Amino acid sequence: MICGVAAASVLAATPSASQAGDLKIRFEYGGSAAEPAELVVNKDVAFCGKHPIQNERLLVNKENKGIQNVLVYVYTGRGGSKIDDVPAKKATHVLANDACRFEPHIVLCQVGDTLKVTNPDAVGHNANLPFFKNAAQNFLIPPQQDKSVLLEEAEPAPIPVECNIHPWMRAYVVVLEHPYVAKTDENGELVIKDLPEGKELTFRVFHEAGKIDEVTIDGKKEKWSRSRFDVKIKAGMNDLGTVVVPAKALSAE
């Protein structure tokens, strides 16, 4: 669950329009879309069993084959892009233990933000956050209570969040040093806003269901080494088009 909203979740920077460009991408599944499986609820069944809980690892729109929860961000690690510092907004992002699942599934954060983990349920939960750079967390959250974590360091990869009490629950927290990140909505679409114009930037792609490195764009096959690709950003909208991901690359299991 990255911090963010359910549609094409975007964290925007603040350059002026004349100095910025947006990157638009649509991800499409190259196979037949299947209904997500119902998960086995075997803890706190009296409460959690009242809620239909699906496997969210691979969500594909049956109408247009859009892949939900594909994450794309500017990669600034080794061999990646060099970008100017973007001041922290010190925003608070909520990750809720809601109806025995995490909401949202991916939370998008910048260094300096706060992650607020809430529990509106009638049963207790815990949040196991195995951070690499920030202090690892594993705390209980009684019903109607919450815990907050200040995110002081960028993380090298999306961090899985689990509830050890209810093992089917999983989300992801992304913590970057910049705001240039977005996740796809239910139609497989995303837009990363306000990218610095005139720079060739390296982007990294993540999806929990598998590696996205061999894709087809406008009928042409491309290889994204280490799930990365480069785009020179121009002012205005930079539309990469529809990226078709082969079905064999992603697994719901």
Side-chain angles (χ1 to χ4, degrees):
M1 311 186 167
I2 283 139
C3 305
V5 294
S9 297
V10 173
L11 297 176
T14 54
S16 66
S18 63
Q19 298 173 315
D22 300 340
L23 179 64
K24 180 179 180 181
I25 314 175
R26 180 176 180 273
F27 286 87
E28 182 177 299
Y29 187 65
S32 299
E35 288 287 346
E38 295 288 331
L39 296 178
V40 176
V41 175
N42 54 10
K43 304 289 185 181
D44 289 318
V45 177
F47 177 79
C48 296
K50 296 186 299 184
H51 306 284
I53 300 174
Q54 294 181 323
N55 183 352
E56 299 179 70
R57 178 177 165 87
L58 178 58
L59 300 177
V60 178
N61 190 317
K62 293 187 71 174
E63 300 297 322
N64 57 24
K65 296 187 178 181
I67 307 170
Q68 192 170 345
N69 292 325
V70 180
L71 179 73
V72 179
Y73 58 94
V74 173
Y75 176 69
T76 57
R78 185 175 181 180
S81 300
K82 304 298 182 185
I83 56 176
D84 295 337
D85 291 340
V86 179
K89 294 186 177 180
K90 299 182 179 179
T92 296
H93 307 277
V94 173
L95 175 61
N97 292 264
D98 190 359
C100 297
R101 58 176 294 275
F102 286 116
E103 176 59 38
H105 190 64
I106 301 178
V107 183
L108 304 177
C109 306
Q110 186 179 352
V111 171
D113 289 349
T114 295
L115 177 67
K116 183 178 181 181
V117 185
T118 67
N119 181 12
D121 282 351
V123 297
H125 291 283
N126 87 300
N128 188 344
L129 292 143
F131 289 122
F132 290 101
K133 297 294 187 179
N134 295 280
Q137 306 284 335
N138 191 358
F139 46 74
L140 293 172
I141 315 167
Q144 310 307 313
Q145 295 190 29
D146 59 72
K147 300 277 188 178
S148 291
V149 179
L150 177 62
L151 303 169
E152 299 180 286
E153 300 285 344
E155 294 291 339
I159 302 299
V161 189
E162 295 182 340
C163 173
N164 300 127
I165 300 172
H166 308 103
W168 61 83
M169 293 176 62
R170 172 170 280 227
Y172 289 86
V173 174
V174 177
V175 188
L176 300 173
E177 60 191 12
H178 60 74
Y180 306 124
V181 56
K183 62 181 180 181
T184 55
D185 63 12
E186 66 276 7
N187 294 311
E189 299 175 353
L190 63 77
V191 178
I192 303 177
K193 302 287 288 185
D194 297 327
L195 293 157
E197 177 196 356
K199 285 193 173 185
E200 184 170 72
L201 298 176
T202 299
F203 294 86
R204 191 173 191 175
V205 185
F206 168 84
H207 195 284
E208 65 185 292
K211 184 182 294 185
I212 297 178
D213 56 4
E214 295 182 357
V215 299
T216 300
I217 305 175
D218 294 332
K220 298 179 181 179
K221 291 186 178 180
E222 293 192 17
K223 174 71 174 179
W224 287 352
S225 178
R226 299 181 181 178
S227 297
R228 301 174 198 168
F229 63 90
D230 298 329
V231 177
K232 186 170 184 179
I233 301 299
K234 66 179 190 299
M237 182 61 71
N238 299 259
D239 192 345
L240 199 63
T242 295
V243 176
V244 179
V245 181
K248 65 180 182 181
L250 305 175
S251 172
E253 301 300 326

